[in-house]
Amino acid sequence: MARGRPLPPGRYGLPWVGEMLDLFRSNHGFHIDRVAKYGPIYKTRLLGSKFVVFSGHEAFHTFATDPRIRRGDADPLPAQQVFLDSVALYDGGDQPVRKTVMLKAVWFRDAIEAYLPTMQELMEKTVAEWARTGRGHLRPDLEHFADRLTGALLTGVTTEEHARELHEVLGAMQKAFMTLPFALPGTTYGRAMKARDRLTGIIDAAIERHRSGEWDDITSRMLAAAAEAGVSQDAVRADLRHLAFTAEPGYSVPLLLVTLALAEHPDVRDRARAEVLAVAPEGPVTMAQLDRLQYVRQVAKELRRYYAMNAATFFGRVTEEMEVGGYRIPKGWGAMGAVHMTLRNPDEFPQPDVFDPDRFEPAKEAAFPPGRYVPHGDGPPTSHRCPGEDIVTVAVQLYLVVLLRRLDWTLPAQDLTLTNEIFPVSAGGLLVDFTERDATA
């Protein structure tokens, strides 16, 4: 029984505002500091609501799966407005049906397999440019790759002008999470909302473009699945806008950080290259080959455990008083899962500051309890687990195949400190020196 149990440790901060300013300053640092002070479960206050933050596999799994915690009205204004009407923000009703529509386009194996040639073609173009110049500025280069891929797989427009427009729009929208939410003309937040409206227009144009039926991409598959399931076009628009917003960092950040990780761990790079050359030494890459690249898959998973990509989940609301980890959680409190702190918990992953893909050897991973490996959330795919989990794994594997086949790389002197952005990257954007690999070595 929760009655008689203490509330979680922590502090509420300023009246009404609570600790929201600390969260704005560094969404990752916020959770790192509080886990160090209070332990894996702690309380806070954000914009008038008291919250409990869960980390550690048992508490995180409870957050993700317990029906007493429901999505619906707890997210801060930037999330509600950027992800307007997205299926990620609520429970009940048609949520499972809408989520299944998304899964058919970005999670199902046949969908990802259909996208492989396009993904490889665009990765080859990026790597060829690095080979030509001998240097890459990975943040802008990989963001441009991701914008090209978004055009190819979502909007149906593949021009360079379109990719640049997507970059401007998505960059402005991301800033909504790094400033106070006052949508006045000329403010950062106001520009973010204007960019959201522009992205809505881009998605509307993509939906209209796809009425011709001449496409096999994310949008065409979602439209077909939605028609079959009776999901409205307005719902598809909102969920496509969500996918478009997450695509640029969803692809570019893992690819940037895996390049950094393998530069800093040449033993891992050598082992991954040996596997690539044994399984997929040349030509178009197939899903069957990716399935055989077990060590490269382990690298893709350790990458998302090791680096601070997602700080926390979307928010939920406690609908009945409950007990978690020996603490009483009152009805009405907000709730969130601390993703990165769960992945860095030494009780879950010994020596968490060591980059070790062998943590994900198949037998070891099979023994993980629910809630331990949660870079994309937890629970069933039809709930609030990120639908892009598998396609990101495939993207990292495919990128490493393309890169390791052709290039070696080193890092010139630079500031490698991670930024305090929503998705932290190296402060200078990561400069990398590339050389053509000696194929006879």
Side-chain angles (χ1 to χ4, degrees), residues 50-52 54 61-75 80 87-96 313-322 329-337 382-384:
K50 294 176 181 177
F51 271 84
V52 59
F54 298 115
H61 188 64
T62 296
F63 165 79
T65 62
D66 194 302
R68 293 172 293 181
I69 299 176
R70 294 178 63 82
R71 308 290 174 96
D73 66 348
D75 285 292
Q80 293 179 38
V87 72
L89 299 186
Y90 73 96
D91 279 315
D94 66 350
Q95 185 273 331
T313 62
F314 286 102
F315 298 174
R317 181 76 67 186
V318 178
T319 61
E320 298 178 31
E321 184 171 87
M322 58 192 300
I329 315 299
K331 177 181 177 179
W333 277 30
M336 71 179 98
T382 52
S383 183
H384 291 288

Side-chain angles (χ1 to χ4, degrees), residues 115-130 141-154 157-160 163 251 255 398-399 402:
Y115 310 149
L116 277 182
T118 298
M119 295 172 72
Q120 183 172 352
E121 178 186 358
L122 293 174
M123 287 176 179
E124 296 275 10
K125 287 182 178 179
T126 300
V127 170
E129 183 63 15
W130 293 339
D141 293 350
L142 289 172
E143 286 178 348
H144 189 57
F145 156 76
D147 297 328
R148 286 169 162 172
L149 188 62
T150 301
L153 294 185
L154 199 147
V157 180
T158 58
T159 65
E160 293 298 293
Y251 292 118
L255 301 188
L398 183 61
Y399 171 76
V402 171

Side-chain angles (χ1 to χ4, degrees), residues 97-267:
V97 178
R98 283 179 62 180
K99 186 63 181 293
T100 299
V101 167
M102 294 180 74
L103 294 174
K104 288 183 176 181
V106 297
W107 178 289
F108 281 23
R109 182 183 174 92
D110 67 311
I112 299 175
E113 189 167 20
Y115 310 149
L116 277 182
T118 298
M119 295 172 72
Q120 183 172 352
E121 178 186 358
L122 293 174
M123 287 176 179
E124 296 275 10
K125 287 182 178 179
T126 300
V127 170
E129 183 63 15
W130 293 339
R132 185 185 70 82
T133 62
R135 172 164 283 195
H137 193 184
L138 264 66
R139 180 172 188 172
D141 293 350
L142 289 172
E143 286 178 348
H144 189 57
F145 156 76
D147 297 328
R148 286 169 162 172
L149 188 62
T150 301
L153 294 185
L154 199 147
T155 70
V157 180
T158 58
T159 65
E160 293 298 293
E161 292 78 11
H162 184 64
R164 286 193 288 270
E165 181 183 21
L166 286 173
H167 180 68
E168 292 175 3
V169 167
L170 299 176
M173 289 175 67
Q174 288 175 26
K175 289 183 173 61
F177 296 94
M178 295 179 280
T179 187
L180 292 174
F182 300 123
L184 300 174
T187 64
T188 298
Y189 196 80
R191 288 189 290 270
M193 293 301 99
K194 185 177 180 180
R196 182 207 61 192
D197 294 342
R198 175 59 191 136
L199 182 59
T200 301
I202 291 171
I203 297 303
D204 282 338
I207 291 173
E208 187 62 33
R209 192 176 298 117
H210 280 70
R211 292 188 188 283
S212 68
E214 299 173 0
W215 311 86
D216 183 10
D217 58 12
I218 290 172
T219 298
S220 66
R221 286 174 180 254
M222 281 187 64
L223 288 171
E228 183 178 345
V231 172
S232 71
Q233 183 172 304
D234 286 345
V236 174
R237 175 197 296 118
D239 294 335
L240 283 170
R241 183 174 57 212
H242 187 151
L243 290 175
F245 175 79
T246 59
E248 185 183 275
Y251 292 118
S252 67
V253 173
L255 301 188
L256 181 152
L257 293 174
V258 80
T259 313
L260 171 62
L262 268 60
E264 294 183 326
H265 299 86
D267 56 326

